[in-house]
Amino acid sequence: SNTIWLCTGGSGLLRYDYLRGEFGAIEEVNKISLFIRHLLPDGALFWLATDNGLVVYDWKKNKVVKHIIINTNGSNVCYAVQKDDKGFYWVSTNLGIYKINAQYEIIQRYNTGNGLSFLEYNTACTLKDSSGALHFGGVGGITNFNPLHLKQNNFSPMPLVTAINVNDKSWPLQINPNLVNELDFTNK
């Protein structure tokens, strides 16, 4: 359609008609963020990684379909987006990698507690290879995985109490510490 789409850091999403030599700002997107870090085309939709979450934009209708806030309590910076072979979207951020379904719902957050060696990624550093594996570049190197091979671990063990210390001193117990249901403390 004679159009080149440009992601910018400060001027938002731009459209360039190279036959006419005309630039146009995409105001619907730019109202949300002027820092567009990555664009994943998916049919008529662009999945845009921005400094204010993920924006799903229908370029044919010039309409924002969805604005996905990744983190409600802090940074919303998204660096890159990839789509896996099952139709899930994977977004690299400075808080890890998020898995999002086609209904725009966050399904899973991956961080250092469940498999990542670092949290912060880099702008537009991503690749999906011919095997379906996804690669995201970040401050700690490259994270690569094949989403088809990931298994959900639903096991959550009960905590095992092996000792109770108060002010760095062992609390005297008459029974196994794992069987204690309640502790009473008095302040002297």
Side-chain angles (χ1 to χ4, degrees):
S1 65
N2 308 324
T3 302
I4 297 174
W5 295 90
L6 304 167
C7 298
T8 72
S11 296
L13 182 63
L14 303 176
R15 175 185 356 206
Y16 177 63
D17 183 326
Y18 59 86
L19 292 181
R20 294 183 185 149
E22 296 175 354
F23 282 95
I26 309 304
E27 295 303 327
E28 291 298 312
V29 171
N30 298 348
K31 288 179 202 173
I32 297 170
S33 179
L34 292 174
F35 294 86
I36 314 298
R37 295 178 173 271
H38 184 248
L39 183 155
L40 174 72
D42 188 22
L45 299 179
F46 289 162
W47 287 69
L48 304 167
T50 79
D51 278 12
N52 189 18
L54 193 63
V55 176
V56 183
Y57 171 70
D58 186 324
W59 61 270
K60 288 186 177 181
K61 296 178 182 174
N62 188 32
K63 176 183 170 187
V64 171
V65 175
K66 189 71 174 177
H67 178 207
I68 303 168
I69 301 295
I70 295 294
N71 181 14
T72 57
N73 297 325
S75 176
N76 241 336
V77 176
C78 296
Y79 291 111
V81 188
Q82 280 293 347
K83 185 177 181 181
D84 71 19
D85 291 339
K86 286 192 171 182
F88 291 101
Y89 298 88
W90 297 80
V91 182
S92 62
T93 73
N94 59 1
L95 298 169
I97 295 177
Y98 289 78
K99 180 181 179 183
I100 298 173
N101 66 18
Q103 292 74 41
Y104 316 114
E105 300 165 324
I106 297 171
I107 300 299
Q108 177 79 41
R109 174 180 171 220
Y110 293 88
N111 56 31
T112 54
N114 58 1
L116 298 182
S117 58
F118 59 91
L119 292 177
E120 188 169 354
Y121 290 83
N122 291 329
T123 297
C125 291
T126 185
L127 169 75
K128 178 180 176 184
D129 68 26
S130 59
S131 74
L134 305 181
H135 308 267
F136 292 96
V139 296
I142 297 173
T143 298
N144 64 327
F145 59 94
N146 189 323
L148 298 177
H149 299 150
L150 294 179
K151 292 188 169 116
Q152 185 70 30
N153 182 358
N154 294 321
F155 177 69
S156 181
M158 293 296 296
L160 175 64
V161 179
T162 58
I164 297 174
N165 292 330
V166 177
N167 294 328
D168 292 324
K169 293 182 181 167
S170 180
W171 185 268
L173 296 171
Q174 305 302 321
I175 62 172
N176 180 328
N178 203 41
L179 300 175
V180 174
N181 291 327
E182 182 178 303
L183 290 175
D184 291 323
F185 297 97
T186 56
N187 188 6
K188 294 181 182 179

